[in-house]
């Protein structure tokens, strides 16, 4: 099969690829539009939006998207997030691997992150040299908190009433290209910052679009303090935002409440020193 593996360098190409991925992942039109707008905003500095496989007639056979995550905390290495990888059956096999290989070769000095791969994609990427992060994704549903005996603890109710009067919600900065918010809490005479993003889970089934509000916890200033108050703070978020599910993507200590699912975060770099680095900020989790 004659095909070309190429970077996605302009908005017209990006729009076509998102159309291809939208059909492959069954995204709603609203979700596809959000992803398009988010990539145009977040990737201005690097001028690339992903990679695609094109056959000799110009048909898209496979693609994935990239999100520029900027520099990590020590300002020495840039992070870039790979997401939404899909290849048609006719191009699976060597071509799909060459697609990833070209990307890895083009960005040898970047930490390449992947925070939401399914099991099959995870196994392929691991075989290509991706490493497991020590931080992983945990998902909790509305029912994890509502159908919990702690809900009827008067101390929790008192805590929530007090918290509602004292919490501070603010934008991270005036030119915030990521759709994230910072909550600052006073807990045990200590300040706890929690960076979150609000999301709308959408699934198109036939002619129907199903939508559920969700919240992602992307980063925290104190993993121990957040872990200790996780149930109470999550309940606060659920009540305040009418949130159906909460996912966590940052370092946490052992939680008393159990997640309904756990998935891996992985990265590609020459050594293991970024195993404990936050990979969620600036990734697809801020937008999709």
């Amino acid at each position: 099969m004659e095909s070309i593996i190429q970077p996605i360098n302009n908005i017209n190409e990006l729009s076509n690829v998102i159309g291809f991925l939208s059909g492959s992942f069954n995204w709603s039109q609203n979700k596809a539009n959000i992803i398009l707008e988010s990539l145009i905003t977040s990737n201005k500095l690097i001028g690339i939006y992903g990679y695609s496989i094109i056959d000799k007639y110009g048909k898209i056979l496979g693609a994935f998207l990239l999100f520029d995550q900027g520099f990590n905390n020590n300002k020495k290495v840039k992070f870039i997030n790979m997401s939404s990888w899909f290849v048609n059956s006719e191009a699976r096999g060597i071509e799909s691997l060459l697609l990833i290989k070209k990307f890895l070769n083009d960005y040898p000095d970047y930490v390449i992150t992947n925070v939401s791969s399914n099991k099959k994609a995870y196994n392929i990427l691991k075989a290509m040299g991706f490493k497991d992060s020590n931080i992983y994704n945990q998902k909790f549903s509305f029912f994890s908190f509502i159908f919990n005996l702690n809900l009827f603890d008067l101390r929790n109710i008192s805590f929530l009433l007090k918290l509602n009067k004292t919490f501070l919600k603010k934008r991270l900065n005036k030119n915030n290209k990521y759709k994230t918010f910072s909550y600052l809490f006073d807990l045990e005479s200590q300040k706890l910052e929690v960076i979150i993003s609000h999301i709308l889970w959408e699934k198109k089934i036939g002619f129907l679009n199903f939508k559920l509000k969700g919240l992602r916890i992307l980063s925290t200033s104190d993993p121990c303090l957040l872990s200790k108050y996780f149930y109470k703070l999550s309940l606060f978020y659920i009540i305040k935002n009418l949130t159906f599910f909460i996912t966590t993507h940052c370092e946490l200590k052992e939680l008393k409440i159990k997640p309904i699912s756990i998935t891996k975060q992985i990265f590609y770099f020459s050594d293991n020193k970024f195993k404990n680095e936050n990979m969620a900020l600036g990734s697809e989790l801020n937008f999709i």
Side-chain angles (χ1 to χ4, degrees), residues 259-270:
I260 60 175
S261 67
I262 298 176
T263 56
K264 296 276 191 176
Q265 296 184 20
I266 54 178
F267 69 99
Y268 186 89
F269 199 65
S270 56

Side-chain angles (χ1 to χ4, degrees), residues 29-283:
Q29 186 59 53
N30 180 61
K31 182 171 181 175
N33 291 339
I34 290 173
I35 295 170
L36 176 64
E37 294 169 5
S38 299
L39 277 166
I40 292 171
T41 301
S42 69
N43 289 24
K44 284 181 179 179
L45 293 179
I46 61 172
I48 185 174
Y49 304 103
Y51 282 77
S52 62
I53 305 173
I54 309 294
D55 73 8
K56 62 181 180 181
Y57 303 108
K59 178 185 175 182
I60 300 173
L61 302 177
F64 61 83
L65 302 175
L66 295 175
F67 287 89
D68 179 16
Q69 296 181 263
F71 287 96
N72 74 326
N73 291 334
N74 61 27
K75 305 295 183 184
K76 292 182 179 179
V77 179
K78 290 199 75 174
F79 280 50
I80 192 167
N81 174 239
M82 168 193 169
S83 74
S84 307
W85 178 28
F86 187 89
V87 178
N88 282 347
S89 57
E90 58 196 288
R92 287 175 189 168
I94 188 64
E95 286 187 296
S96 61
L97 298 180
L98 290 174
L99 176 67
I100 303 299
K101 189 64 176 175
K102 177 169 176 54
F103 168 48
L104 299 181
N105 290 340
D106 287 349
Y107 287 85
D109 298 325
Y110 280 65
V111 176
I112 297 168
T113 67
N114 186 292
V115 294
S116 66
S117 58
N118 59 33
K119 187 174 182 180
K120 186 173 183 180
Y122 168 82
N123 289 334
I124 294 172
L125 294 175
K126 283 279 290 181
M128 298 188 74
F130 278 73
K131 303 176 177 70
D132 286 328
S133 168
N134 290 335
I135 300 172
Y136 42 87
N137 312 307
Q138 300 184 81
K139 186 173 184 178
F140 305 84
S141 78
F142 168 88
F143 303 107
S144 304
F145 304 96
I146 298 302
F147 295 133
N148 189 298
L149 293 178
N150 289 327
L151 179 64
F152 303 100
D153 190 325
L154 292 178
R155 291 170 297 182
N156 287 344
I157 296 173
S158 175
F159 176 88
L160 292 175
L161 291 174
K162 181 181 178 181
L163 198 62
N164 190 47
K165 294 179 180 178
T166 61
F167 88 97
L168 173 65
K169 179 181 178 183
K170 61 179 182 179
R171 281 279 189 181
L172 290 181
N173 55 59
K174 292 182 180 179
N175 298 311
N176 183 14
K177 69 178 181 178
Y178 307 130
K179 297 179 180 178
T180 56
F181 293 87
S182 175
Y183 284 79
L184 189 63
F185 299 99
D186 287 312
L187 302 172
E188 299 180 348
S189 301
Q190 299 180 66
K191 299 290 186 182
L192 174 68
E193 183 180 25
V194 182
I195 299 176
I196 63 95
S197 65
H198 297 286
I199 61 168
L200 188 65
W201 182 86
E202 296 185 69
K203 192 69 174 180
K204 185 178 179 183
I205 302 177
F207 296 102
L208 300 175
N209 284 333
F210 293 90
K211 300 180 181 181
L212 293 174
K213 291 176 69 175
L215 182 142
R216 290 179 174 140
I217 299 178
L218 303 172
S219 181
T220 179
S221 60
D222 190 330
C224 292
L225 199 57
L226 176 59
S227 301
K228 181 178 180 179
Y229 285 94
F230 181 73
Y231 174 81
K232 295 177 180 179
L233 293 177
S234 296
L235 194 59
F236 167 78
Y237 283 129
I238 286 172
I239 295 172
K240 193 75 177 176
N241 301 294
L242 300 177
T243 298
F244 190 80
F245 65 89
I246 290 177
T247 58
T248 65
H249 310 276
C250 58
E251 181 186 1
L252 289 172
K253 305 305 178 182
E254 186 174 350
L255 299 176
K256 293 182 181 179
I257 186 168
K258 299 301 181 183
I260 60 175
S261 67
I262 298 176
T263 56
K264 296 276 191 176
Q265 296 184 20
I266 54 178
F267 69 99
Y268 186 89
F269 199 65
S270 56
D271 59 45
N272 294 327
K273 66 181 179 180
F274 294 104
K275 278 196 168 187
N276 296 313
E277 192 76 23
N278 184 296
M279 299 180 187
L281 287 176
S283 73

